Structure formats: structure tokens, C-alpha cells
Amino acid sequence: MRPLLVYVHFPWCLEKCPYCDFVSYKTDREAIDHDAYADAIVRELEARRPWLDGHALSSIFLGGGTPSLWAPHAIARVLEAIRASFPPPDPRQADLEITAECNPSSLDRAVARELVGAGVGRLSVGVQSLDGAQLKFLGRLHDVARAIDAIDAAVAEAPRVSADLIFGLPEQSPDEAASHAAELVDRGLSHLSAYALTIEPGTRFGELARRGRLPTATDDATADAFLAIEAALAARGLDHYEVSNYARPGQEARHNLGYWRGASYLGLGVAAYGYGPVDGGAIRYRNATDPERYVAGARVLRPGAPSLDDRVTVSVGALDAETLLRERIMLGLRLAEGLDLAAVARELGLDPSEVFRGRTAAIERLTRDGALAIEGTRLRIPPARRLGTDGVAARLF
Ligand code: SF4
């Protein structure tokens, strides 16, 4: 049985943040048809399921958007349908990891309790900052007190809690970024994700930056904040297991580890991506980004692999072994454990010695520069160079 990750996208938020390029639509909670969306997800699940025979359920992730806005009874129905569709996870795993992303503006103790009652075991809270002015700059609806209350509510109700922080903000000192990370962990988190602010085209920040009107941090200040956060969390016993992620031992996000290690994933819902085997190769598909089109299309989905002939899928592409290898290098090098290039090559049906032969010069150059470490056939990026992971990976293509 191959492991399967299931991702469910919930595409609505109470506000659109100016830096956000996720598919999310601003709406009021009352305007969402919670049951119709759950119906569509369950229909899509039933249609896609036969394509994924031979997989066992490894984790479920409710992402968005803001899944903490979704009615808990609708979440419970979706989770039950997913669990009933696939064999249970590897018995060596203690439990099935089920995560829901939450925003402080829609998370209090009662909501946290309802989410846990619906079957969610891990809450991931979008705190982003513990400074009022920075939260305003980021266009967030919550203030610092609300963020703290949401974290405390999550920690009180859920077995596992993570938070997201953004660093590399204008006029934010490295010490301040580290102090936010430390304060959150001291409130009982077992996991923290810390992302450098990135300016994406097509967002309000992207437009302001294009016109030269967006204050930004320097690259040096961002790099210093990255190292300060790492030091503060190491002092609290959290491992820096992925470029943007820290966890107490055993509390790593198993769902995301699955992505980085190349597992199949079933994406359900508006704009979701999925990836899985087909005819000895692999495909990646994407669903419609328009909620109305998605819900209408899900009603008439027929069983089988995603195809451009159905009304939900908007793109589907075959991935050859070389493309998959590049992706695995890109993703695997994000992990502290790195990747065993020979094992990945074998898994993809490639000749490991050929894979190394074509990269010998690049590997030698990178190791000489201190940007890459190699032990046997395993490649890793040393801690001091991890902020530049994508650049190192690209030089191995
Ligand atoms: S809450 Fe999250 S998903 Fe929603 S707009 Fe803001 S960053 Fe995007």
C-alpha cells in the first residue's frame, strides 16, 4: 500500500490579505453554502477514489482559505467520507493526522472544541505576527490579543497545535521576529512554521511593489531574522526539520513531510491540486478555481482519474521521470534530512549512476562552496545555507 495524503481546499476568507496569492474569496460566513460545498467534496472523493486503489490513508489537511469558517458538521461529514474511502494508515503510526488551518478571527475555544469534535486533531493557526502595527500592515483582521486568545484556545482543546509566522517585515528587527516565535512556543505549541514575506505578482502588495510604494526589509535583515528564529526555537527544543518548519521531536507535520518525500496526494475542492500514479507514470491535475463551476461540475463527475473531459478538472499533465526527479530534488533538499538521490532515482525507474554522472561537476562545486553536503548518496544543505535552498537545488538540475 502506498501512502496517500488528502488535501481539502476551503476557498473563503472573511478578508483578502494584501500579500495572499492563494485561491480565496472574501465573504461573510453566512453567505457560504456549507452543506453544498461538503456535498461537492464528497462527490469528488467518490469519483476519484477508484483511481487511487492501492493507497492507504496517511493524513488529511483542510487548507484554504479559512477552514475554521466551515460549519463543523460539514467538516465531520467530509472527514468521515474520506476515512471510509481508504484503508487506515500504517499501524506503526499512532493515529491519522488531521489538520485544519484556522485564523484567529474565527477561532475561539468553542470553535476549537467543535473542530476537535468533528475529528480534527491538529490546528494550524495563522498568527503571522505578535505586533499590532505589523498585523495591520499585513491586512490581518485580528489584533495581538485575539491571536494570543486563539492560540490559548487551540492549545487548551487540540492535541497538536502549530502556528504560522511571517518574518522579513519592514522595520522588524531579528530579535523581535525571534521573540514572536519564542512567545508562541512558550504558550504550548509543538510546531511552528515561519515564512519570509514574499511579494507575489497579482496581489495588492505585488501591485504596490511594482509602483515602488511598498516598504520592504533588506535581504540581510531577512536572513538575520531567519537565523534568530532558528536559534530561539533550538533553545526551546524544536528541530528545524524543513526550511520553514520547526517541531518538537515527533511533532513534525506528517502531511507536509509526505509532500516533500514524494507521496501521492488527492486534492479535493476548489483550486486543489492532486498528484498520483497512472499507467506506469504520474499525473498532476488542478481543479476549477471558481466555486460555482466546481460545485456544479462535481455533481456530474464520473468515477476515474482526473481528465479534461470532466467539468471539475481544469488542467492535467503527465509527469515524466526527469521532471519528477527535479521536483524531488527541489523538495527533498528543503528537509534537514536531505534526500537519498540514488534511492529516489531507483524509485522513479532511473539509473542512479546516470543520475549522479550528469551532476558530478555541480555537486563538486556546491560541496566546495559549502552549499551542499554529501554522505554516501544522500545530499543535504548545511544549516547555514538553508535560506538559499531553492538556488542550490536549481543548480542540480
Ligand atoms: S487568511 Fe490566509 S488564505 Fe485568507 S486571504 Fe489571508 S493569507 Fe490568504
Side-chain angles (χ1 to χ4, degrees):
M1 284 279 179
R2 300 178 55 177
L4 177 70
L5 325 171
V6 178
Y7 174 82
V8 181
H9 192 76
F10 184 81
W12 293 284
C13 293
L14 297 177
E15 188 52 86
K16 183 74 183 174
C17 303
Y19 57 89
C20 175
D21 73 338
F22 300 130
V23 175
S24 64
Y25 302 100
K26 178 182 168 176
T27 191
D28 295 330
R29 189 168 189 257
E30 297 70 36
I32 302 167
D33 192 336
H34 298 254
D35 291 314
Y37 195 60
D39 287 345
I41 298 282
V42 172
R43 281 203 195 92
E44 188 191 358
L45 169 71
E46 286 165 355
R48 307 274 199 229
R49 195 201 54 74
W51 165 51
L52 293 159
D53 276 347
H55 286 78
L57 189 57
S58 173
S59 58
I60 305 172
F61 194 99
L62 306 175
T66 307
S68 50
L69 293 175
W70 204 357
H73 73 268
I75 292 180
R77 192 154 78 77
V78 166
L79 295 180
E80 273 162 32
I82 295 170
R83 296 182 85 135
S85 296
F86 299 101
D90 183 332
R92 285 167 298 181
Q93 278 181 202
D95 55 0
L96 176 65
E97 180 184 276
I98 303 180
T99 303
E101 288 186 324
C102 310
N103 274 317
S105 49
S106 52
L107 183 69
D108 58 18
R109 193 114 185 217
V111 172
R113 193 175 307 136
E114 285 180 329
L115 288 169
V116 172
V120 175
R122 185 171 178 274
L123 300 180
S124 175
V125 188
V127 171
Q128 315 310 0
S129 173
L130 290 179
D131 175 90
Q134 288 166 9
L135 287 171
K136 280 210 173 75
F137 170 74
L138 292 169
R140 303 297 301 200
L141 286 177
H142 60 274
D143 58 16
V144 175
R146 188 83 200 243
I148 297 287
D149 285 350
I151 288 294
D152 290 349
V155 168
E157 297 293 339
R160 298 170 65 192
V161 181
S162 178
D164 284 0
L165 272 185
I166 296 178
F167 65 93
L169 298 170
E171 294 179 30
Q172 181 191 47
S173 73
D175 285 350
E176 187 186 14
S179 75
H180 294 175
E183 178 168 356
L184 288 171
V185 168
D186 291 345
R187 298 195 89 86
L189 300 190
S190 55
H191 188 281
L192 189 97
S193 303
Y195 302 99
L197 177 66
T198 49
I199 309 301
E200 305 290 352
T203 62
R204 261 185 285 154
F205 272 8
E207 179 56 22
L208 286 171
R210 201 180 60 75
R211 290 194 266 131
R213 295 228 188 128
L214 186 75
T216 50
T218 64
D219 288 350
D220 283 351
T222 301
D224 288 347
F226 177 80
L227 295 174
I229 290 170
E230 181 181 68
L233 297 182
R236 285 163 172 78
L238 274 73
D239 294 332
H240 191 177
Y241 72 99
E242 193 268 348
V243 175
S244 304
N245 286 281
Y246 303 80
R248 295 200 185 284
Q251 296 298 314
E252 298 83 4
R254 293 203 295 270
H255 187 86
N256 291 342
L257 276 176
Y259 287 138
W260 297 316
R261 290 174 178 161
S264 303
Y265 48 91
L266 171 62
L268 300 171
V270 169
Y273 286 94
Y275 160 77
V278 62
D279 296 336
I283 57 163
R284 177 169 299 117
Y285 67 89
R286 191 180 200 199
N287 285 347
T289 56
D290 172 34
E292 277 183 31
R293 173 176 167 173
Y294 170 77
V295 170
R299 261 185 223 125
V300 291
L301 263 183
R302 283 198 298 274
S307 137
L308 287 178
D309 292 336
D310 69 48
R311 292 201 218 157
V312 165
T313 311
V314 289
S315 71
V316 56
L319 303 168
D320 61 22
E322 276 300 328
T323 304
L324 290 171
L325 179 68
R326 283 200 293 275
E327 289 190 358
R328 293 290 294 275
I329 291 172
M330 186 67 106
L331 295 170
L333 286 179
R334 297 185 64 85
L335 294 168
E337 69 187 22
L339 86 160
D340 184 334
L341 191 55
V344 170
R346 275 193 297 275
E347 201 185 305
L348 298 174
L350 297 167
D351 177 351
S353 47
E354 280 294 314
V355 164
F356 271 97
R357 199 167 304 131
R359 292 173 171 80
T360 306
I363 290 173
E364 279 177 9
R365 251 193 322 274
L366 287 165
T367 44
R368 226 180 10 250
D369 291 353
L372 192 69
I374 178 159
E375 293 142 21
T377 55
R378 181 168 289 277
L379 308 180
R380 268 189 318 101
I381 296 191
R385 304 295 288 270
R386 290 179 75 190
L387 199 55
T389 292
D390 289 352
V392 174
R395 287 166 69 186
L396 290 169
F397 296 165

